[in-house]
Amino acid sequence: MRLLTCLLAGVFLMGGLTASDAVVRIANDRGGRIGTYVDKYQSIRTSGDMVVIDGLCASACTIVLGAIPRDRICVTSRASLGFHAAWDPGANGRPVTNVEATRMLYTMYPTSIRRWIAQRGGLTPRMIFLRGRQLTSMYKPCYLDARASATH
């Protein structure tokens, strides 16, 4: 009995050291400044947390695909990824494509995502969406879990 107790304790300790119990849920995220997302995802990458994409993840939010290892990302049936060129506000307030930032954003994505984007004409001012079967062919499906935190 004592041996069994020691073995179980060892399994629990090893499990606690190698796997994160935390889940970060992404939904209804329209993006923002690239630098903010790079910092945010670096912190999540370091934490070892699992990422559940459970709704819209657009623009700079999609940096998650390059920042977090693929085996720590899963997508629900509601997941929708929106991609477009990076932009800056122009003199008249209208968006002006930032070629350098767009190139940097594109290189952050994994090869499969870059290929998918290229097949649709690249990153342009027009938003393109990856969802459904195409998305689940690239990322494992997941199911919401009670541990999922509030939207990040």
Side-chain angles (χ1 to χ4, degrees):
M1 183 69 167
R2 185 174 186 169
L3 178 61
L4 180 59
T5 303
C6 288
L7 284 173
L8 286 174
V11 168
F12 287 122
L13 285 174
M14 292 293 285
L17 293 174
T18 61
S20 171
D21 284 81
V23 174
V24 175
R25 180 178 166 263
I26 297 173
N28 303 318
D29 191 326
R30 298 184 179 281
R33 299 186 54 80
I34 291 173
T36 302
Y37 282 83
V38 169
D39 293 344
K40 173 177 161 177
Y41 293 142
Q42 181 59 41
S43 174
I44 293 170
R45 180 184 182 96
T46 303
S47 74
D49 292 349
M50 179 76 183
V51 173
V52 173
I53 302 175
D54 182 39
L56 180 64
C57 174
S59 193
C61 175
T62 62
I63 293 171
V64 70
L65 304 175
I68 307 299
R70 178 188 298 287
D71 65 341
R72 289 187 17 224
I73 298 174
C74 65
V75 296
T76 71
S77 60
R78 292 184 293 266
S80 179
L81 302 173
F83 302 89
H84 67 83
W87 58 274
D88 292 317
N92 59 359
R94 299 185 73 167
V96 175
T97 299
N98 181 323
V99 176
E100 187 61 33
T102 299
R103 188 175 304 120
M104 180 183 73
L105 184 62
Y106 186 77
T107 62
M108 289 180 184
Y109 296 131
T111 303
S112 60
I113 297 296
R114 289 196 308 260
R115 190 176 310 122
W116 183 87
I117 291 169
Q119 291 169 349
R120 282 146 189 84
L123 293 174
T124 68
R126 183 181 58 86
M127 184 85 72
I128 56 175
F129 293 93
L130 174 59
R131 56 184 149 222
R133 287 185 182 157
Q134 287 183 316
L135 180 54
T136 56
S137 73
M138 295 182 206
Y139 289 88
K140 66 184 172 191
C142 57
Y143 306 96
L144 285 182
D145 169 315
R147 296 179 301 164
S149 65
T151 303
H152 280 46

